[in-house]
Amino acid sequence: MRCSGGFSMSSLHLRWRGVILAALLCLICQPFAVASDEPTLTKEQIKQFLLTAQVVHSQEAQKGVTHTLRLTLSDGTVTHDASFQPIDIHKPMAQLASGTELHFVDSYKYNIAAYAVAELLGMDDMLPVYVERKCEGTIGSLSWWLPVKMDEGERLKQKLEPPDGEAWNNQMYKIRVLDQLVSDSDPNLTNVLISANWKIWRIDFTRAFRLTNDLNDPNKNLVHCDRQLLEKLKALDANALTEKTKNYLTKAEVKAVMARRDKIVARFQKLIAEKGEKEVLY
Ligand SMILES: Nc1ncnc2c1ncn2[C@@H]1O[C@H](COP(=O)(O)OP(=O)(O)OP(=O)(O)O)[C@@H](O)[C@H]1O
Ligand SMILES: [Mg+2]
């Protein structure tokens, strides 16, 4: 059930009246469950849940072109939704709106690899937890369904301004660095999700990890950087990346990430030398 967030260890200490009240509230709330009902699980508990909970319901997602499934999972205590993405297309050549792409790949494996990269960069609080799982006979990525109120496309359409522009920009600058590092060729506006408190989430990396060593318009996209993120980027180690993404990234894909990392770091170091640290880092 979605109200399972109330059933933590501390609830054992509730007196009986509190327990009954909580149970009643849970029953009343259930049909209207919203983001605030998010269970308070650790990242490891979420991974375990995604890997082992039973699928109790399945429907097609309302957005996206690849027809992902929105699944409801339950382990008997916690019930929560997850997005299942099984795509794994490899073609020597593909005709896309952006032009012809050679060695085209669109793969669920990159969702898992992007989450691994985000973990190495200390940015995994901006992505849903992604795991690999077999569902209904097919292997794909499964991600924890996020408590979001809209995506970036809807925000722009409705011309909504975040209440704290600086906090918003500081999140976006981090997303831009990640997008450059993983070289996402499809970072469309439905892949940036926004929570009720204006927290930004980045999803869907199935067309990332291109083999290019080049950045995409760094003059526009890389202007400011979070201090800690820059330190993490500098410390990113090819062996650690290889180990953490084995089965999901090829040697060539890891090599390209490291080459882009070098360029991102060099770009910020150049900017710092020109403008001073305070103008670039935050
Ligand atoms: N973890 C999640 N939490 C909340 N919503 C999600 C999550 N994953 C996917 N979605 C929703 O489902 C939609 C489709 O998922 P996703 O972007 O992974 O697939 P897609 O079909 O490849 O999309 P695209 O059209 O960008 O290629 C997203 O745009 C988003 O609205
Ligand atoms: Mg998408």
Side-chain angles (χ1 to χ4, degrees):
M1 67 183 70
R2 282 168 191 261
C3 293
S4 53
F7 296 105
S8 62
M9 282 303 286
S10 61
S11 65
L12 292 174
H13 307 297
L14 281 176
R15 281 179 294 176
W16 65 271
R17 266 197 289 190
V19 172
I20 290 173
L21 186 64
L24 274 175
L25 269 174
C26 194
L27 279 175
I28 294 166
C29 289
Q30 198 171 4
F32 308 105
V34 289
S36 57
D37 297 323
E38 276 288 285
T40 49
L41 303 181
T42 63
K43 193 170 82 176
E44 280 315 311
Q45 286 171 324
I46 289 178
K47 279 188 183 172
Q48 223 29 53
F49 175 82
L50 289 172
L51 287 169
T52 57
Q54 239 190 318
V55 178
V56 295
H57 185 249
S58 166
Q59 67 189 91
E60 202 170 288
Q62 286 173 354
K63 287 206 174 181
V65 295
T66 64
H67 310 290
T68 52
L69 291 179
R70 177 173 179 169
L71 304 179
T72 303
L73 306 181
S74 181
D75 65 4
T77 310
V78 174
T79 298
H80 196 86
D81 287 358
S83 173
F84 182 60
Q85 171 57 283
I87 201 160
D88 198 17
I89 295 173
H90 298 250
K91 288 190 205 170
M93 187 194 285
Q95 298 296 340
L96 307 169
S98 51
T100 305
E101 196 178 317
L102 300 179
H103 310 297
F104 174 79
V105 185
D106 196 355
S107 175
Y108 77 84
K109 291 187 182 182
Y110 295 152
N111 282 338
I112 299 164
Y115 187 74
V117 169
E119 282 188 305
L120 289 171
L121 296 180
M123 267 187 76
D124 47 306
D125 59 340
M126 301 190 85
L127 274 65
V129 175
Y130 277 101
V131 300
E132 186 175 45
R133 170 116 189 233
K134 197 182 227 179
C135 289
E136 294 162 9
T138 312
I139 292 188
S141 66
L142 194 58
S143 67
W144 181 256
W145 197 268
L146 298 166
V148 296
K149 61 173 180 180
M150 66 181 133
D151 62 38
E152 180 62 350
E154 290 158 23
R155 181 185 80 82
L156 292 174
K157 204 163 126 196
Q158 293 179 44
K159 298 191 170 76
L160 295 174
E161 282 301 320
D164 183 341
E166 191 185 341
W168 174 266
N169 288 340
N170 288 348
Q171 295 183 84
M172 274 301 186
Y173 296 139
K174 289 173 83 173
I175 298 280
R176 285 188 193 165
V177 170
L178 181 69
D179 285 353
Q180 296 285 330
L181 185 68
V182 303
S183 184
D184 194 353
S185 60
D186 179 34
N188 69 69
L189 299 178
T190 64
N191 294 335
V192 175
L193 305 181
I194 305 164
S195 287
N197 59 359
W198 293 90
K199 176 177 167 37
I200 300 173
W201 298 92
R202 181 72 171 78
I203 59 160
D204 187 6
F205 299 86
T206 64
R207 292 193 191 178
F209 297 102
R210 306 296 97 164
L211 292 174
T212 177
N213 290 349
D214 294 331
L215 303 178
N216 171 22
D217 202 353
N219 290 343
K220 184 180 130 213
N221 290 318
L222 297 177
V223 181
H224 298 288
C225 189
D226 177 275
R227 262 195 185 81
Q228 276 175 4
L229 178 56
L230 185 56
E231 288 313 307
K232 291 273 191 184
L233 275 173
K234 287 183 194 166
L236 187 65
D237 171 61
N239 291 331
L241 180 62
T242 303
E243 178 59 26
K244 209 163 165 60
T245 57
K246 68 169 183 256
N247 304 329
Y248 304 113
L249 291 186
T250 63
K251 245 183 171 175
E253 287 161 350
V254 168
K255 209 170 152 213
V257 170
M258 296 310 295
R260 293 190 299 268
R261 184 285 302 267
D262 291 346
K263 288 189 174 168
I264 296 170
V265 170
R267 156 96 185 140
F268 283 122
Q269 275 171 338
K270 182 169 169 273
L271 280 180
I272 291 168
E274 285 166 8
K275 300 182 176 191
E277 204 188 276
K278 274 196 185 144
E279 282 298 310
V280 181
L281 303 183
Y282 63 93

